[in-house]
Amino acid sequence: MTDADLQAEVEAWLAANWRGAPPREESFGRDPRAEWLAQVRDAGWAVPRWPRDWYGRELSAEQAKIVERAFTAAGAPGAGQDRSNLWANTALAHATDSFKRVIVPQLLAGEVGMCLLYSEPGAGSDLAAIRTRAEKVDGGWRVTGQKIWTSGAMIADYGMLIARTDWDVPKHRGISFFFLPMRQEGVEVRPLRQITDESHFNEVFITDAFVPDENLLGPLNGGWGVLQTALAYERSVMGDMARGARSGAAGAKGDHAMLELAREAGKLDDPVVRQDVAQVIAWRVLNKLNTQRAKAELAQGTSSSIMSLGKLAMSRILHEEGRLRTELLGPESLLEGPDHPRAEDANFLSLNAYFTSIGGGTDQIQRNIIGERVLGLPKEPEIDRTIPFREVRAG
């Protein structure tokens, strides 16, 4: 199919089927756009790079961009999930065929809620130190442990879980990766109050919860490799879609938000302010280009460490934007609440930036990954890397 034929087909399909944004509705884990997303999936537009047997069209990366641009121009969601849907991409790459047949179409249509069950109170930056255990029973596994910093756990149907299944091998080799059903006895979710006075994160207590055999992704004790695929997609999303200001005030979004605020504050002629604003805009443009490069590698089947650059860059951008907004507002930044939207935005961005510098792997961990895997620097010494995990001392 030529590019022109493809563009004509996708535009004709959108003209015949897209009727604008679906009405908002209360949902519990289910995407309110699910009916529309199912149409997009069944037409092959959701994951155009994927094989036809898995709802794709086997398009090249360049032709897939034609589909994505047409959906963007129409304001229609759902295309490009072969780059952005970490749940579906991880399942397609590693799940059993029987489980894929069930879960992948649901994930592409947003029919199930998902969360990540990775970090633990004693294993955050070093995920290989997890102590949540999965023990083999008839037909599946019994899981016991605790997870923390889990976004979306209150509404999730499944959690992508890493658990220890072998305690007699080194820590990276005894981990397995599961899709854990969340709606069962033995899974307790408790919200965590954040500094922004929100509760997007949760702690999850797991006591003898059951996960079926078919929900194991990848080989037994080979979950570390599956996790690297999932983390690459997570960092891609975090580097590309950082959360903006809370108030929705004019000038709160976009690459030129700082310019507008500096002009309103009467400081746009200050050469130091202009340099700071230009730096933030330049970082955003550079990060966008870097993220496109990393996603192109993912589309070719490479689990790219370049994603860490985008994730780290977005953390720096958000912290710098918060600092600069506060500096531009001066004493006004001490105000708070909906009657003071500019100060509300500055304070929220300053506080919420810490979510990006912690979630998905801390800034320090991203620097380690970049140094070792991108720059080829020597690895940091790990005295517990080669000994059985049962012998590792818990601090």
Side-chain angles (χ1 to χ4, degrees):
M1 179 178 289
T2 66
D3 291 356
D5 288 342
L6 176 62
Q7 183 159 345
E9 180 182 351
V10 65
E11 288 178 351
W13 188 89
L14 285 165
N17 293 279
W18 176 238
R19 296 292 181 266
R24 295 183 61 85
E25 62 181 52
E26 294 297 325
S27 62
F28 193 72
R30 178 185 171 92
D31 194 315
R33 307 169 302 175
E35 185 175 345
W36 164 253
L37 293 177
Q39 283 185 265
V40 178
R41 174 201 67 198
D42 294 343
W45 305 126
V47 284
R49 298 168 181 82
W50 282 13
R52 294 182 183 275
D53 289 346
W54 291 104
Y55 305 97
R57 288 176 170 245
E58 299 179 5
L59 298 182
S60 67
E62 290 305 314
Q63 285 203 322
K65 290 178 183 177
I66 294 174
V67 175
E68 294 165 13
R69 285 194 292 265
F71 270 71
T72 299
Q81 293 188 56
D82 41 17
R83 296 192 305 157
S84 63
N85 191 322
L86 75 94
W87 327 104
N89 280 287
T90 304
L92 182 74
H94 298 287
T96 61
D97 283 343
S98 60
F99 188 57
K100 275 194 287 193
R101 296 291 174 192
V102 174
I103 197 65
V104 167
Q106 293 178 330
L107 292 170
L108 295 178
E111 294 173 345
V112 291
M114 296 292 303
C115 67
L116 300 174
L117 299 171
Y118 299 163
S119 295
E120 299 180 6
S125 295
D126 182 11
L127 283 178
I130 60 164
R131 292 183 174 270
T132 293
R133 64 173 63 233
E135 298 178 323
K136 190 70 181 74
V137 296
D138 288 343
W141 302 80
R142 287 289 176 192
V143 182
T144 298
Q146 181 185 353
K147 299 294 182 176
I148 200 164
W149 312 125
T150 305
S151 304
M154 296 292 290
I155 60 173
D157 298 289
Y158 291 95
M160 293 208 309
L161 168 79
I162 51 172
R164 191 159 301 281
T165 46
D166 190 341
W167 295 70
D168 296 313
V169 295
K171 60 183 183 180
H172 293 86
R173 290 164 45 196
I175 293 171
S176 297
F177 196 105
F178 302 92
F179 265 51
L180 174 73
M182 294 289 288
R183 311 285 180 82
Q184 61 171 304
E185 290 187 14
V187 177
E188 180 186 358
V189 179
R190 301 179 188 173
L192 292 169
R193 187 180 179 189
Q194 299 158 225
I195 196 172
T196 56
D197 201 28
E198 300 169 314
S199 295
H200 295 301
F201 302 119
N202 306 271
E203 52 185 345
V204 181
F205 296 87
I206 308 170
T207 306
D208 290 331
F210 180 73
V211 57
D213 279 330
E214 70 170 4
N215 289 28
L216 172 68
L217 271 67
L220 180 63
N221 298 322
W224 189 253
V226 182
L227 177 63
Q228 300 317 301
T229 299
L231 285 174
Y233 282 103
E234 181 186 6
R235 288 163 184 162
S236 166
V237 173
M238 292 187 72
D240 200 28
M241 297 180 62
R243 190 175 174 196
R246 178 160 57 181
S247 76
K253 299 179 181 180
D255 289 343
H256 302 292
M258 293 294 98
L259 279 174
E260 297 174 16
L261 185 58
R263 185 178 291 111
E264 292 172 6
K267 298 181 180 180
L268 193 56
D269 292 333
D270 184 323
V272 176
V273 170
R274 292 171 66 89
Q275 185 174 0
D276 287 346
V277 171
Q279 181 67 80
V280 170
I281 294 174
W283 280 344
R284 281 196 171 274
V285 173
L286 180 61
N287 188 45
K288 182 179 180 179
L289 295 172
N290 181 75
T291 301
Q292 290 175 346
R293 168 191 174 192
K295 286 185 174 180
E297 292 190 12
L298 275 178
Q300 297 171 7
T302 303
S303 181
S304 176
S305 300
I306 301 297
M307 289 298 185
S308 292
L309 283 171
K311 199 273 181 182
L312 182 62
M314 185 52 69
S315 169
R316 178 175 63 178
I317 290 166
L318 293 180
H319 279 285
E320 182 63 13
E321 280 198 5
R323 182 199 68 78
L324 186 53
R325 282 176 181 267
T326 301
E327 181 178 316
L328 291 173
L329 292 176
E332 183 185 342
S333 65
L334 297 174
L335 303 174
E336 189 64 274
D339 293 336
H340 309 283
R342 299 197 306 182
E344 172 85 357
D345 288 343
N347 291 324
F348 177 76
L349 287 169
S350 296
L351 297 175
N352 196 61
Y354 288 95
F355 155 71
T356 307
S357 58
I358 296 173
T362 64
D363 287 356
Q364 291 78 10
I365 290 297
Q366 305 311 318
R367 291 188 177 97
N368 280 359
I369 293 172
I370 293 164
E372 295 171 6
R373 302 181 191 173
V374 179
L375 301 179
L377 299 177
K379 294 179 67 67
E380 286 193 353
E382 291 183 72
I383 61 173
D384 61 356
R385 188 178 183 88
T386 59
I387 64 176
F389 188 76
R390 191 181 300 280
E391 300 175 13
V392 174
R393 295 178 61 183

